Structure formats: C-alpha cells, structure tokens
Amino acid sequence: MTVAIPGGTVTVGTDAPVFRADGEGPARRVTLRPFRIDVHAVSNRRFAAFVGATGYQTEAERYGWSYVFHSFLAPGVQAPSPEGTPWWRQVQGAYWAAPEGPGSSIADRLDHPATHIAWNDANAFAAWAGGRLPSEAEWEHAAKGGDDAARFPWGATEPDDGNALCNIWQGHFPTQNTLSDGFLGTAPVDAYRPNGHGLFNTCGNVWEWCADPFRIRSISAAAKQRNQAAAAERERVMKGGSYLCHISYCYRYRIAARSGRSPDTSAGHTGFRLAHDP
C-alpha cells in the first residue's frame, strides 16, 4: 500500500544537530516533485515473495554471515565482535530468513520488517517490485507527516521508557531492556500509530536505506576526512534509527538523524521501504 506525498519546497536536516559528525545539519531547503511511498517497511512476507520469484541471494548469504545483536544469540554460541561495538556479533549463517543465525526462523515474524538487508539487496527488490529507494529528502518529507518542523513522525513529544511512541530500546543500553513496549527486537510493520501521511514506523524498528550517497555538508577537516572515507566505501544514507536506539546512546530515531554504511552492509536492524514515481 502506498500513499501520495505532495511536492513542494521542504526543509531537510536541522540547525540544531545532536550528532554534528553525522552531517545532520545544516537545515536546507529542497524542492521535491510529488511522489508515492509505501506506508510500511518491506516485510518478511514481501521479501520472501521476491526471493521465491527470483531466487535472489542477499549480500549476507553471499558473504556467509551478518551482524546479530548479542542478546539474540543462542546460549553457548560464540561469535566475534567488531571493534568498538561488543553488542554486535558476526554470526555465520545469519540472513533475512534466519535473523539470529542457523536454527532461527521468520515463521512467526512474516509481518515484521525484513532485516539483514543491504542497500544492494533493497535495490534488487525495488527493481523487481517496480519501485525505488527514496531520496533522503523524500524520506524526511514523508516522515514528517505534513509538519515541516516535526522532530519525530508524531510531532515533538520525546518518547521515554514509559511512553512508547515507536520501537526503540527501554532501560539501559546494551545490557538491560525492560521490554516496556513489548518488543525486544523488531515489531510488526504496522505497529504504533501512523504519522499524518499514514506511514508506520519511519523512526524506530529498523534503519531504512535511502538512495543517496552519504555525504556531510561541511568544509571542516573532519568532514572532509569522513567524506573521503564514505566515498571510498560507496556509503549510502540510512534513516530512522532502530529498535536498538536509546536517547542515552543512539539518539537517532529523530527525523533529521542519519547514518552511512557501505552498500553491502547488513545487520539485524537494517531494512527499507520503497518510493514510487506518481
């Protein structure tokens, strides 16, 4: 299901960045044509239909592993961690249909967003489904739900451990999750209230890939270095944060927040939704 998003001149980014090094600012005005966008992230059910029709293998399958959050590993399973993020584990055999590795299944999560999806995988699905990935500006415009000044898809109210407005972490990251929202990992694609345009879960749940190369709009030496590294890795923009975000650690479930990863990167919190030309 898609909804029509009006075009016009809109604000992208913010002049009050939380993570300046991510390139959240400065705010800028961008003129967009009208477009359509899916109300939901692509679900496991939809992605399974794509794989069934095409035989497509994801980047995680080709590499033979993907990143899984440590709490999801079966007892006794040992897997290496990348430097600096010990809560991620490099699990052999983890991919979209086995999100926690061998022996896991999506049978009870067909209505949850597909995860372990790389940018390359999302584009392959888009070509099959007749859509495309949204630009960062389109994604932000759609996520704001008609309020160009919105901080979150629902407005300005800050979610907290007792007020679950989206699927993020509750408690103390990364060791304690109170599960006050009922979800340790992903939630169904239609969980929580939609925004003013009828879109669900643009923030929280899973990071969503955009079409744009990742770039920071700054002339600082640090930005130049970051942009060189991003260009070398062909990084693409990700928006919306995930179920692992918390204000104390990864305060990136704000609309202006962003990240960049190489197009073959997958993890248990990477997904996507499609945009469409009118």
Side-chain angles (χ1 to χ4, degrees), residues 30-51:
V30 176
T31 299
L32 297 174
R33 295 180 177 179
F35 63 99
R36 301 188 68 86
I37 194 166
D38 289 0
V39 299
H40 305 128
V42 172
S43 66
N44 283 316
R45 180 177 284 106
R46 287 185 71 193
F47 202 79
F50 160 60
V51 171

Side-chain angles (χ1 to χ4, degrees), residues 53-75:
T54 64
Y56 181 81
Q57 283 197 321
T58 59
E59 296 283 14
E61 291 170 273
R62 287 190 282 268
Y63 280 109
W65 62 272
S66 189
Y67 289 117
V68 177
F69 189 66
H70 73 98
S71 296
F72 301 150
L73 270 62

